[in-house]
Structures are given as structure tokens and as C-alpha cells.
Amino acid sequence: MKKVSKVSLAIAVSAIAMGASSALAQDAPAVAQVPAGDASETAEGDQSEGDIVVTGVRRSLSDAIELKRQAPNFVDAISAQDIGKLPDTNIAESVQRITGVQVNRDAGEGRGVNVRGLNANTLINGRVAASTGQLGQVTRDFDFRSLAADFFQTVEVSKSPTASLPEGALGGTINLITRKPLDFRDPILSLGLEGTYASLAREFDPRASLFVTDRLLGESVGFALSLSYARRRLRQDSFFNNGGLAIGTAAADTGFDFDQDGVANNFLRPNDFRFVTQNDTRTRYGADLTLQWRPSDKLDIRLDGTATRFENVIRDNVFRTLAGVGSTGGVTNVLNPVISSNGILTSGTFTGQNAQPDGRYQPDISTTVTGGLNATWTSGAWKVEGDISYSKATSEFESFFLRFQSLASIPVNVTYQSNGNAAPPNLILTDGQGQSLDLLRP
């Protein structure tokens, strides 16, 4: 078992003078964004006679464009309405919709994200999020499979650095911003349920999410809670010739001298056939909690945290044969060989072979906990912000292997029939008496 743990702790305090006439005003003014779920309420409160108010998806697109216009650097963004309307399995599927962002996939699911082909820093609410990489290997790449898209209100991708961003990003910085309770005027309770049927795995995969927010204590205090659960079962069937093509020697003339020994009795044969069925069970649990207190128009205090757990249990069934084809007196043990015009064996019966069925069980469990306390005081042209954060990621990976192998005293005959490039070849296993072998009943 391999266990990896990474911890990140950061404390930051900044004082910024804001104003059009100040030479130190490098930060763009904040863009007032209204969450998609509250857009209709804002429209009703702000609309006056004769005004045209845009809500819903168009409002979210307008907010994203405004954020890009006001930013001091190159920034692209998508809002909660965009994310909420997409059937994304995780936040990486949502981020890929931004220009210049590429997603690395694992079994069709987004896992890592690059910006303009290079690694990117990943922040949650402006704070560096720790990650363990993949399969227990410590890397700087964040594993997005553990983060549900339901948690986040805005995704910002900064393609050029600023002094306020953490260092180390080659391609850019991705900032995932969760919902803030005081951005909503009314209490909200949202429950989402959906399911997907996987025809190859023959399993039904559920997905559920819960979001609740409300204001307390004279509406100066608010809380927002998000919960997420998803399970996905995958099946992948594959076949490959792990040993490539090897040179075989026939008892008769074949017209090919691949080993250049002066005798044209060679052919190219398959070596180390493997048939693999991989079954993955991926389960994601997540929770996000935000407490916000705004005692005055000048002071805003926010405490937030996100916790996720991602379990990926891999079960492999592997069958292996023709690994190191035997020979007698320098002649490959193959009966009735049929050789194509380019010297490749298309069918034949290999004698004296081994059959190796095995099973592999590999649980890969990763957890991520991140959170922090932020306080912002604004007065006139001055803004003072303090932030303390904590992030920890752990990963546990185990691999169990069980193999069965036929006895040398009971050789296996393997009849091979090529189907070209369209499908895997046909293999028939028999014993020395020509009887079919049942690998499950030795």
C-alpha cells in the first residue's frame, strides 16, 4: 500500500488603494455578479417601467463577459448558470468549455486540466488546493474527478499572471469560486437527482446533489451548504499483442528469410496475447459549507470549507497466452500454419503453451480538505483583505494480484485464427487429446 499526503497552509494580508486617479490601483473594480438562481429575484427588484432586464443564461453570459472586460489581465470565465445547465460529471468537464483549456481524460471522464497546453495552478476561492496527482504519484496536477460541478458558482481562468496570484503556473491559473450565501436574497432549497444506464457494464449509475442557503440574524449572517454524491461504473474490454511480432521458423520453405541466416523458412507470429476486461467503480462524495457575516457595508467576513472523497476501485480480469512460443530443434511448435503474402501467420495451432488467467484488485482512494477564513474591509478608495487557508490531500493505493497458470506437465494447445484489424483473433484452447479446456474447472 502506498499512501501520499500533501498539506498546504497559507496566510495573506493585503492593503490596496483603489481609485481611478491612483497610480497604485492595479486591481480591477469588482464586478457585481448575481447568482443564476437569484437572477429572477434581482430582475423583479431592479426592473423599472420601460427597462429591459436580461436574466437566466443570457444574464450569466453577460456577467462573464463583464468580468473579462474589467479584469487587468487575460481572463475567461463561466458562471453558475452555464455549469448548472450542463450534465457535467465533474468540474473539469465544465472548465473545458473555456477557450484554450484542454482536459486530460481517464476512461472518458475529465481528470486533469491544461491551459494552452501547459500545467495550471488550481485555486478554490483564491487559495491553492492540494492534490496527490494520480495513483499515489505526487504531481502538481490537480485531480478534478473529486470535485462536483454543483459546488461552484464561477470558474475563472487567468491566462496571464498578476501580483495577486500564487506563483508557479506555466499555462495559467484556474480559480474555482463557490457560492456565497449573502448573494442570495431569499432562502433556496435545491435537490437534483439523475441517473445513467451503462449498457456495457449493465449498471445504473445514480447522481444526487443538494444545495440550501438562507439568511439569519437580521439578514447580516448567511450560510450555504452543498452536498454531492455520484457513482459511476465503467467497463472496458481490450485486446493487445503485448510482445509484438516475433520471428518464427517453419519446417518447410516459406519464401521469407527474416533472421537472415540464408534459409527462407521464416514467418512473423504473434507473441504474448492478452485479453483484458477492466471494471471500475467510481464513487464521489462531497460537501461544501460557507458561513458569511456582513455586519456593515464596509466589513465582510467569510468562513468556508470543502471536503471531498473519491474512490476508484479497479477490478481487472486478464487472460494471457502465447507468451514465449516454444520450439523444438529450432522449429516453432505450430501446426498447419497459414502464412500471408507478406509473411505474417494468419492461422495455426501452437503446441506446448501456457495459459495464465489472473485477477487484479486495485482500490485507489483520495481525499481533499480545503478551507479558510477571509475578512475584507473596504472604505472609500482603500481595501484591506486578510486570508488564512488550509489544504490537505491524501491518497491510498493498493494492488492485489492473483494468477493461475497451467502446469508444465499438462501443456496447452492454442489454435489461432486472425480476423484482421477489425476484431481480436479467435483462440481455441485444447489439451493434448484435443479436448476443449475450461479454465474455471481445472
Side-chain angles (χ1 to χ4, degrees):
M1 180 180 72
K2 188 174 183 179
K3 184 174 181 179
V4 180
S5 178
K6 294 177 68 177
V7 179
S8 175
L9 179 64
I11 301 176
V13 178
S14 62
I16 303 175
M18 299 182 299
S21 61
S22 175
L24 298 178
Q26 298 297 320
D27 286 352
V31 179
Q33 296 191 22
V34 180
D38 200 39
S40 60
E41 292 84 348
T42 304
E44 294 175 1
D46 295 342
Q47 185 175 8
S48 60
E49 185 177 356
D51 291 341
I52 299 177
V53 179
V54 180
T55 61
V57 176
R58 293 186 178 181
R59 174 62 178 269
S60 66
L61 293 176
S62 176
D63 291 342
I65 294 173
E66 184 66 16
L67 188 150
K68 182 176 180 178
R69 179 183 294 115
Q70 297 294 337
N73 58 336
F74 294 105
V75 173
D76 279 314
I78 52 178
S79 69
Q81 184 68 19
D82 299 309
I83 299 173
K85 293 296 183 180
L86 300 175
D88 301 318
T89 56
N90 59 47
I91 192 62
E93 305 289 341
S94 301
V95 177
Q96 71 165 341
R97 304 176 189 279
I98 296 178
T99 303
V101 175
Q102 302 83 39
V103 174
N104 304 320
R105 297 186 177 275
D106 178 22
E109 183 178 4
R111 180 169 192 163
V113 173
N114 293 331
V115 177
R116 296 183 292 190
L118 299 173
N119 291 347
N121 277 355
T122 300
L123 314 178
I124 298 180
N125 291 325
R127 310 176 184 117
V128 177
S131 179
T132 57
Q134 55 182 346
L135 293 181
Q137 299 178 2
V138 179
T139 68
R140 299 186 63 180
D141 296 333
F142 190 85
D143 191 347
F144 283 82
R145 296 179 303 173
S146 60
L147 295 178
D150 311 279
F151 286 171
F152 303 100
Q153 173 184 332
T154 306
V155 178
E156 300 177 357
V157 177
S158 299
K159 300 178 181 178
S160 59
T162 63
S164 61
L165 293 176
E167 73 285 350
L170 296 177
T173 300
I174 300 173
N175 188 19
L176 310 175
I177 303 174
T178 59
R179 296 180 175 93
K180 300 178 179 61
L182 295 185
D183 288 343
F184 297 88
R185 293 187 175 183
D186 299 322
I188 292 179
L189 174 61
S190 175
L191 177 63
L193 297 172
E194 62 180 82
T196 304
Y197 179 76
S199 58
L200 187 59
R202 298 182 180 180
E203 297 286 353
F204 180 81
D205 299 327
R207 180 183 172 190
S209 62
L210 173 68
F211 175 72
V212 57
T213 183
D214 197 3
R215 295 191 178 196
L216 307 171
L217 302 178
E219 303 208 349
S220 63
V221 177
F223 76 93
L225 174 65
S226 296
L227 300 176
S228 176
Y229 168 81
R231 184 182 64 191
R232 187 183 183 196
R233 281 168 286 193
L234 307 171
R235 173 176 170 176
Q236 300 180 81
D237 296 328
S238 60
F239 156 78
F240 54 94
N241 186 19
N242 193 57
L245 293 176
I247 299 176
T249 303
D253 184 275
T254 63
F256 298 95
D257 184 16
F258 293 117
D259 59 7
Q260 300 181 359
D261 63 352
V263 182
N265 61 348
N266 297 141
F267 59 90
L268 298 178
R269 55 168 173 78
N271 185 31
D272 197 356
F273 271 161
R274 300 192 185 189
F275 296 82
V276 181
T277 296
Q278 178 175 319
N279 295 279
D280 292 13
T281 300
R282 301 182 176 184
T283 308
R284 178 173 56 243
Y285 309 88
D288 179 81
L289 176 63
T290 300
L291 302 176
Q292 189 177 9
W293 180 37
R294 191 178 293 162
S296 67
D297 295 337
K298 296 182 179 180
L299 181 62
D300 188 291
I301 300 175
R302 187 182 77 252
L303 176 67
D304 58 78
T306 302
T308 65
R309 177 182 173 91
F310 182 76
E311 301 175 356
N312 185 23
V313 179
I314 303 173
R315 297 176 176 87
D316 286 350
N317 298 314
V318 182
F319 173 73
R320 180 188 184 195
T321 189
L322 300 184
V325 180
S327 63
T328 300
V331 178
T332 304
N333 295 340
V334 57
L335 304 176
N336 305 318
V338 177
I339 302 172
S340 67
S341 59
N342 55 3
I344 299 178
L345 182 72
T346 59
S347 67
T349 300
F350 293 89
T351 62
Q353 302 302 307
N354 290 327
Q356 297 176 344
D358 62 59
R360 303 175 187 179
Y361 176 76
Q362 298 175 323
D364 180 15
I365 302 174
S366 60
T367 61
T368 301
V369 178
T370 181
L373 176 65
N374 179 276
T376 303
W377 179 78
T378 305
S379 179
W382 289 91
K383 177 181 178 181
V384 179
E385 181 176 1
D387 191 278
I388 180 171
S389 64
Y390 172 85
S391 182
K392 180 180 180 180
T394 61
S395 176
E396 296 182 10
F397 175 75
E398 297 177 291
S399 182
F400 301 92
F401 184 87
L402 181 62
R403 166 171 290 178
F404 297 91
Q405 181 169 318
S406 58
L407 297 175
S409 59
I410 308 177
V412 176
N413 298 332
V414 180
T415 299
Y416 162 77
Q417 175 64 55
S418 173
N419 290 316
N421 296 327
N426 297 330
L427 297 181
I428 300 176
L429 276 63
T430 59
D431 58 17
Q433 287 72 40
Q435 300 295 321
S436 298
L437 291 179
D438 186 349
L439 298 178
L440 300 180
R441 295 181 180 178

